Amino acid sequence: NAGVTQTPKFQVLKTGQSMTLQCAQDMNHEYMSWYRQDPGMGLRLIHYSVGAGITDQGEVPNGYNVSRSTTEDFPLRLLSAAPSQTSVYFCASSNTASDEKLFFGSGTQLSVL
Amino acid sequence: DAKTTQPPSMDCAEGRAANLPCNHSTISGNEYVYWYRQIHSQGPQYIIHGLKNNETNEMASLIITEDRKSSTLILPHATLRDTAVYYCIVRGGYYGGATNKLIFGTGTLLAVQP
């Protein structure tokens, strides 16, 4: 049971490049979400999904797109990377949207030059 | 969701109990108190949660005051591996939306000393 798997672990981009951060879970969880973590600011919610085909915005959605075509996968897309998007990104999932326990992946460290 | 206030850092001696406080004076009746921790470079890990009764599991105990305006997470016998940032989060009950939109503050850095 792998839990929540994020790839890649590290990524360096140039300003204006696009890329997709991958997140997959093998627990058949309905709820998935993306957070970013910046020094001194805790974790901030970017986007979330309560089930396949349903997504919504969190606190800081600008510059990011998501889709949820399957229960297992919830990719995060950066269409045109900016230095302000340099951060550590965490994907999390839970059994349902009201479940009390979130499971987090190990994170993707992204640097935008 | 109610805002929480935690001290930025605390020290604890190995083997002793670690008591991490959290203030949530604006908590409302249907809001739960959650605790997560984040060990360096890892994703956050769920510890415990409660509504108004004290709770205990294999990791920790949660003590919530009678007025629910504050709580304390207790690690009964802290080890070096408990060194982490501990987040206290208040979250409402289910209202038809995605209630797992947990809002993480900056937490308390607990340093367990040998």
Side-chain angles (χ1 to χ4, degrees), chain A residues 31 35 37 40-43 45 48 50 59 90 94 96-102 104-106, chain B residues 34 36 38 41-46 49 87 91 94 97-106:
Chain A
Y31 181 87
Y35 286 85
Q37 185 171 33
M41 297 194 70
L43 284 85
L45 182 65
Y48 64 93
V50 299
E59 299 175 79
F90 289 100
S94 63
T96 66
S98 59
D99 200 355
E100 59 271 3
K101 190 181 296 188
L102 269 176
F104 282 82
S106 57
Chain B
Y34 286 76
Y36 279 73
Q38 186 174 24
S41 299
Q42 299 180 19
Q45 175 191 25
Y46 167 85
H49 76 284
Y87 298 98
R91 194 201 84 175
Y94 187 66
T99 60
N100 257 336
K101 292 190 293 182
L102 296 181
I103 307 299
F104 287 76
T106 53

Side-chain angles (χ1 to χ4, degrees), chain B residues 28-44:
Chain B
S28 59
N30 68 343
E31 290 183 316
Y32 288 74
V33 180
Y34 286 76
W35 284 84
Y36 279 73
R37 74 179 182 183
Q38 186 174 24
I39 297 171
H40 181 63
S41 299
Q42 299 180 19

Side-chain angles (χ1 to χ4, degrees), chain B residues 10-20 61 72-79 82 110-112:
Chain B
M10 293 181 63
D11 288 342
C12 177
E14 189 177 19
R16 304 295 293 270
N19 297 282
L20 292 95
S61 295
T72 301
L73 179 74
I74 301 172
L75 308 179
H77 305 286
T79 71
D82 292 322
L110 174 69
V112 180

